Structure formats: C-alpha cells, structure tokens
C-alpha cells in the first residue's frame, strides 16, 4: 500500500513519545468534560480510548487535534503544544471519523486531490492511485462523494486520513454504522497501515470486539477521568470477566450506581 | 518519515499551495452545479432589470432622471458588486459548515489567514460569474455601460469589495463561534447596510441624526462618488480616500475579530460539532 513511502530522518522532532497528555482538563462552565487526565502514547502502538457517551473521548481527541483549547493541562503531539503550536505538527497527523464528511458534490478524486494539496503530498496522483487500489476506490473514484454508500464513504474517509502517511492517526469510531464485513475490512486496512508504517494510533470506539482485536492498550474514561489504563487482557483478567464488553458494562454500571449514591 | 513525502509546510510556496487547494475546491463545486451558477446571476439580474425599467420610466417623466441616465442602473450594479462579493465570501465558508468539512480543514495544515485569503479569491470568482452577464445585459437593454464611469470604477470596485470582505469576516466568524444559528447574520448584514449606504439617494435625504452612521460606512462614499460623476461629471478623489481609510479600519477589525472568534470557538468547543 505504501510504495511511495520513503523512510528517513527529516530533522523534525523524533525523540520521545508522539503523544504526551498531562493533567488535561476541559470544563464548559460547571460541566467538566475531561477532568485532569494524563497519559503517554508510545510510537507504533494502538491505544483505545473507551467510555460511554459523554465520558470525554471526543473532547480528548479534539484537544489532541488542537480543535479545543484545554482549560488547563497540556496536550502535546510530537513535542508541540496543540493549544499554541499545532501548525508545527498537523501535517504529521490525520484523523478519521464517520461524523465528519468531505464536500458531497465533489468527486472522490477531487476531494482527495484537494486534501493532498493541503497536506502538500509530493506526487499526489500516484498516492491517490495507490490508496485507490488498496482501499478499492477505483470503481467510484470519479463519482460524487454524496452519492456513495456508508461503507464507500468510510473508505474515502480512510483514504483522506492516510493521504499524508500520518505518523499519528486519530480515529473516532471508525467503523460506526458499517456492516460487519465492511467493518472487518476497514480494521484489516488499519492494521496493515500500522504494520507498514509504524504509525501510532489512538482509537475511540464503542465496539469492544474491535478494541480487543486492534488495541495494545485500553484507556477507559468515565465522566472525564481515567478509570483504567492497561492492556485489554489485563483489564479483562483484573475484573474477572471474559470479555472487554463485560468490563465496559461493569465500569459503566458502577458509574451509574455511583451517580445514584451521590444523588441520594 | 512523513516530511520526506510532503512538500515543505512553511514559506510562501506552501501558503500559495494551500490557498490554491481551497480555491480549487470551490471551483470544482461551482463547475459541478449549473443551477448554482444560474442562481448567482438571477438575483442581480432581477434587481438590475427592475431598476433599469424604473429609470426608463422616470427618464420619460422627469428632466432630472433624464439628465442623470445611469443613476439607478449604475447604483444597482455597484450595490450588487458589494452584495455578491460579501455573499460569495460568506457562502464559500458556509459551504464548509454545511458539508461538515470544517473539522477536516481546521485540523489540516491550512492556516486561518490562508482560509481568509481563499475566501477572498472565491468571492472574486463568484463576483465575476454573477456580474459579468448582468453588466452585459445592462448595456444591451438600457444602453448603460458600467465602464462609462471610466477609471473611477476601479476605485469604486476596490472599495466595495474590501467592505464586503470585512463584513464577510464578521459574519463567518460569528458562525464559527456561535454555530449555524448565526447564519442569518451573513444574509442580513449586507442588506441592513443598504438603506444606510444611500445607494439610490444622497446622504442628505436621511434624517440628520442618521447621517453620521451613514458616513461611517465606506460604501456611502462610493455611492456619493457615483452621483458626483453621473450628475456633475466630477470624480471626487476625497470621497474615495475616505472610503479607503475607513475600509482599512474595517478590514483590520474584521481580521482581528475573525481570529478572535476562531480562538473563542476553540475555547468553547464549537468547531468540533460545526454543521452537525
């Protein structure tokens, strides 16, 4: 998939972990979305960010992209504070989410070529051909994005996310609303990408099967706080459960009981 | 690894490349939709025809209107330069919000000043698409050539488009910060300016207390300048200079406000759910 990838030192900050989060907090008035979390992502790892709705996953990812400024604490990517210096490193990362689209009336090729120009991909036509072949976009490459099925749109979104061969890939529920076959296929492509490039992946997901398959590590959030941070296997073992889904439910329901106790 | 695959991310060439990408995106959109391009011509054409016929009627009944041929058609054409340019600017931005594409753009290497520059260029392209057919039809139907104004037309044009960008920045910044609920600002701002800018009548027509507000708007100087040319054959350089100075203030304020609203949107978290 990555024939055009050339490896080598390019003078940018390579030392240290790609992502460092320290005491990160985001509050909207009285509502605390993320409450003083800290973690580090090592190069080449896949980390899953889990939690129920409103646990703080999307806010955390958004702070890592520099789209949200934290109330306090630091989100660093490749050594750059994403609040103040995100443009130093944005070309080295990318993200994919079914909740963002690209312009509907433009064809897939037009959309990809625009993003390739924004990222400054050298020889982008070759890169688009390469991605088109590996992600099976050929049949609809010149069709408007708005006329594609959900599965096809996800493949385009993935192609957009991989255009610049990102060293850090942020994925927000990448397989949501896909049928099991297509979702499995997308996971395989992401695994291929990680294997071929050594990229670091942060994955927010509600699909526990996906997390068990892809993630080396799980960070579980509950009401903006980290309540677990370990490998999927260790987590399952520690909770005395058989699957990650059971652990997820335990933590979610424990949170619910805690809410009830607090209210009473 | 990545930088070996990518062009340098800083410097003039990178900026030009990213602005080009954004302009290309809107060019593709414009090219893909005939009805969209037709609509851009439709409203200026309706305005021009209406005021053209009003002027024909008045020319037949009053000596002033007969002597001042072009007052209304000239006014409406210049007004549409302002309105279409501002709408072109705001619409180009709103397209990104409606397409739920803003998140992708805001986390790409595109800088905010490059986004502004691309919106400026797109507004000029859309202005050309809107106005060239209308200017030609005005000449064919009412024997009025906008170019009969001569060189002052360049000063009028420059002042009007700069005003449109300033107001475009404020309306798009408001959408960034307050979401699509603020979308109407994009439509209302220009049209609220119309009565105060004295497009079809002199500033002295307004109540005395309202006149300072009118003189605070750069387009007022342009339309007074048009009347000076049409009625007295005189180019008022002083009016254009005042318009230009005011425009510099408005543009600087517009850019500052836009940047402030982006930062404010990053603080409030509104960029993330924009368009959803």
């Amino acid at each position: 998939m990555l024939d055009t990838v050339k490896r080598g030192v390019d003078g940018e900050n390579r030392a240290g972990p790609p992502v460092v989060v320290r005491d990160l907090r985001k509050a909207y008035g009285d509502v605390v979305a993320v409450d003083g979390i800290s973690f580090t992502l090592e190069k080449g790892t896949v980390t899953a960010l889990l939690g129920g709705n409103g646990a703080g996953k999307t806010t955390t990812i958004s702070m890592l992209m520099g789209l949200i400024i934290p109330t306090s604490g630091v989100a660093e990517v490749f050594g750059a504070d994403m609040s103040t210096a995100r443009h130093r490193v944005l070309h080295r990362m990318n993200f994919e989410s079914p909740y963002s689209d690209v312009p509907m009336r433009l064809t897939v090729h037009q959309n990809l070529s625009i993003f390739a120009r924004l990222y400054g991909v050298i020889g982008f036509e070759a890169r688009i051909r390469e991605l088109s072949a590996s992600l099976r976009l050929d049949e609809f490459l010149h069709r408007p994005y708005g006329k594609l099925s959900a599965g096809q749109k996800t493949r385009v979104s993935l192609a957009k996310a991989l255009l610049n061969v990102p060293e850090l890939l942020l994925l927000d529920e990448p397989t949501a609303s896909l049928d099991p076959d297509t979702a499995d296929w997308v996971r395989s492509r992401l695994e291929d990408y990680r294997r071929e490039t050594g990229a670091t992946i942060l994955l927010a997901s509600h699909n526990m099967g996906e997390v068990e398959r892809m993630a080396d590590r799980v960070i579980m959030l509950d009401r903006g706080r980290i309540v677990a941070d370990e490998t999927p296997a260790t987590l399952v073992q520690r909770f005395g459960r058989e699957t990650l889904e059971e652990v997820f439910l335990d933590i979610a329901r424990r949170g619910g009981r805690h809410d009830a106790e607090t209210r009473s | 690894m990545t930088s070996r695959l990518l062009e340098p991310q800083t410097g003039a060439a990178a900026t030009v490349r990213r602005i080009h990408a954004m302009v290309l995106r809107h060019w593709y959109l414009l090219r893909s939709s005939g009805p969209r391009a037709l609509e851009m011509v439709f409203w200026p054409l309706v305005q021009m025809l209406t005021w053209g016929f009003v002027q024909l009627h008045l020319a037949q009944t009053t000596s002033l209107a007969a002597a001042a041929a072009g007052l209304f058609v000239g006014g409406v054409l210049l007004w549409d330069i302002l309105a279409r340019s501002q709408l072109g600017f705001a619409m180009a931005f709103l397209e990104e919000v409606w397409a739920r594409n803003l998140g992708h753009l805001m986390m790409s290497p595109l800088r905010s000043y490059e986004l502004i520059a691309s919106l400026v260029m797109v507004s000029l392209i859309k202005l050309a698409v809107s106005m060239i057919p209308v200017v030609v039809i005005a000449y064919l139907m009412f024997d009025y050539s906008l170019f009969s104004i001569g060189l002052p037309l360049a000063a009028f044009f420059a002042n009007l488009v700069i005003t449109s960008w300033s107001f475009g920045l404020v309306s798009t910044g408001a959408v960034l910060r307050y979401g699509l609920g603020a979308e109407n600002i994009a439509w209302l701002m220009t049209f609220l300016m119309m009565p105060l800018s004295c497009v079809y009548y002199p500033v002295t027509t307004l109540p005395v207390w309202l006149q300072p507000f009118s003189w605070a708007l750069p387009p007022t100087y342009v339309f007074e300048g048009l009347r000076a040319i049409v009625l007295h054959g005189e180019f008022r350089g002083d009016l254009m200079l005042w318009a230009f100075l005011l425009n510099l203030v408005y543009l600087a304020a517009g850019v500052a406000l836009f940047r402030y609203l982006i930062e404010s949107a990053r603080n409030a978290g509104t960029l993330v759910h924009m368009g959803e």
Side-chain angles (χ1 to χ4, degrees):
Chain A
M1 175 164 83
L2 296 167
D3 295 340
T4 59
V5 174
K6 296 169 189 169
R7 293 167 189 277
V9 177
D10 53 20
E12 291 181 1
N13 174 25
R14 303 277 162 220
V19 173
V20 176
V21 168
R22 281 194 304 269
D23 301 322
L24 196 64
R25 184 172 189 276
K26 182 65 190 177
Y28 302 102
D30 295 336
V31 179
V32 179
V34 172
D35 195 4
I37 63 174
S38 299
F39 63 86
T40 297
L41 301 187
E42 297 300 332
K43 188 175 184 313
T45 56
V46 177
T47 304
L49 203 54
L50 301 188
N53 296 323
K57 305 186 298 294
T58 301
T59 305
T60 302
I61 286 185
S62 299
M63 287 192 278
L64 283 171
M65 294 192 289
L67 293 181
I68 292 179
I69 297 175
T71 306
S72 61
V74 176
E76 274 182 11
V77 174
F78 302 119
D81 183 338
M82 296 306 281
S83 297
T84 56
R86 66 199 192 105
H87 283 292
R88 269 176 43 203
V89 295
L90 282 175
H91 62 285
R92 294 172 63 185
M93 55 197 289
N94 214 319
F95 94 118
E96 198 247 317
S97 164
Y99 308 112
S100 285
D101 276 315
V102 293
M104 298 281 176
R105 284 179 180 276
L106 270 56
T107 67
V108 173
H109 183 273
Q110 286 171 337
N111 272 306
L112 292 179
S113 69
I114 285 163
F115 278 102
R117 285 180 170 98
L118 286 176
Y119 282 90
V121 177
I122 294 171
F124 67 81
E125 288 293 353
R127 180 73 182 133
I128 291 173
R129 277 198 301 274
E130 202 170 67
L131 285 167
S132 179
S134 69
L135 297 173
R136 302 199 307 236
L137 311 180
D138 286 331
E139 57 181 304
F140 51 83
L141 194 60
H142 297 286
R143 208 181 292 165
Y145 174 80
K147 295 194 172 169
L148 306 183
S149 68
Q152 289 170 330
K153 282 181 178 171
T154 299
R155 276 143 68 186
V156 174
S157 191
L158 194 56
K160 176 257 153 193
L162 302 183
L163 263 174
N164 59 324
V165 195
E167 294 161 74
L168 172 65
L169 192 53
L170 303 171
L171 306 169
D172 191 4
E173 301 181 42
T175 58
S177 78
L178 294 181
D179 67 69
D181 180 43
T182 310
D184 178 70
W185 186 86
V186 167
R187 284 175 207 125
S188 298
R189 298 290 75 75
L190 288 169
E191 287 168 336
D192 290 346
Y193 180 75
R194 197 261 291 240
R195 194 167 46 248
E196 290 170 25
T197 64
T200 307
I201 297 177
L202 181 64
L203 163 78
S205 179
H206 285 137
N207 186 318
M208 298 305 130
E210 177 171 282
V211 170
E212 280 181 296
R213 169 174 161 179
M214 290 184 65
D216 309 307
R217 173 185 170 197
V218 170
I219 296 175
M220 199 166 279
L221 295 175
D222 183 30
R223 286 164 299 170
R225 291 184 178 177
I226 294 177
V227 292
D229 181 355
E230 47 209 299
T231 66
T234 319
L235 194 59
V236 169
Q237 194 178 26
R238 183 159 71 83
F239 273 74
R241 294 295 189 172
E242 290 188 358
T243 66
L244 201 55
E245 183 146 357
E246 290 172 350
V247 176
F248 181 91
L249 290 173
D250 274 356
I251 291 176
R253 286 170 186 166
R254 189 178 63 187
R257 274 202 309 276
H258 175 80
D259 278 346
E261 285 160 10
T262 307
R263 278 195 296 274
S264 65
Chain B
M1 169 181 72
T2 303
S3 63
R4 290 292 182 91
L5 287 169
L6 304 180
E7 307 271 3
Q9 298 293 313
T10 53
T15 290
V16 169
R17 187 190 67 239
R18 290 189 287 261
I19 293 171
H20 174 234
M22 291 306 294
V23 173
L24 203 57
R25 173 253 190 275
H26 289 282
W27 177 247
Y28 287 149
L29 185 67
L30 197 60
R31 232 178 41 178
S32 73
S33 174
R36 192 182 289 256
L38 204 61
E39 195 203 344
M40 287 166 60
V41 181
F42 181 77
W43 292 112
L45 185 62
V46 167
Q47 276 253 68
M48 191 275 293
L49 288 175
T50 305
W51 285 101
F53 288 124
V54 167
Q55 181 163 299
L56 272 184
H57 169 66
L58 290 176
Q60 289 158 6
T61 53
T62 69
S63 56
L64 173 68
L71 205 58
F72 288 118
V73 176
V76 79
L77 289 178
L78 287 182
W79 171 256
D80 268 323
I81 286 174
L82 172 67
R84 294 297 131 191
S85 178
Q86 197 262 322
L87 286 179
F89 186 101
M91 283 285 289
F93 174 80
L94 287 170
E95 295 280 2
E96 307 298 358
V97 179
W98 293 329
R100 300 198 312 167
N101 188 38
L102 202 61
H104 285 302
L105 294 179
M106 297 306 286
M107 81 146 296
S108 79
L110 184 72
R111 268 71 161 174
S112 60
Y113 62 85
E114 293 164 352
L115 176 64
I116 293 172
S118 71
L119 294 175
V120 161
M121 298 195 69
V122 171
S123 80
L124 287 173
I125 292 170
K126 289 187 170 182
L127 184 59
V129 172
S130 296
M131 294 305 293
I132 289 173
V134 178
V135 169
V136 170
I137 292 170
Y139 178 70
L140 295 176
M141 287 199 67
F142 302 108
D143 199 23
Y144 177 80
S145 169
L146 192 61
F147 299 101
S148 66
I149 295 171
L151 274 180
L153 178 63
F156 293 167
F157 181 86
N159 272 311
L160 290 171
V161 295
I162 295 172
T163 305
S164 75
W165 299 334
S166 307
F167 282 79
L169 280 167
V170 174
S171 59
T172 52
V175 171
L176 266 174
R177 173 61 185 83
Y178 301 106
L180 279 174
E183 186 182 349
N184 282 341
I185 292 175
W187 316 121
L188 294 177
M189 279 184 78
T190 303
F191 293 102
L192 277 175
M193 211 172 12
M194 192 178 194
L196 278 180
S197 297
C198 303
V199 180
Y200 302 116
Y201 41 81
V203 178
T204 50
T205 310
L206 298 178
V208 174
W209 65 268
L210 205 52
Q211 289 181 18
F213 294 98
S214 176
W215 285 118
L217 297 170
T220 304
Y221 298 82
V222 172
F223 294 110
E224 285 292 325
L226 173 70
R227 279 185 285 275
I229 284 182
V230 172
L231 295 173
H232 310 297
E234 178 193 5
F235 173 60
R236 294 277 306 275
D238 58 325
L239 291 175
M240 290 308 97
L241 187 62
W242 272 111
F244 184 67
L245 291 174
L246 272 177
N247 264 325
L248 286 184
V249 173
Y250 275 69
L251 192 61
V255 170
L257 189 62
F258 183 84
R259 297 185 73 151
Y260 165 77
L261 288 169
I262 282 190
E263 286 309 293
S264 176
R266 288 176 70 205
N267 261 315
T270 50
L271 287 181
V272 178
H273 302 291
M274 192 68 67
E276 286 181 10

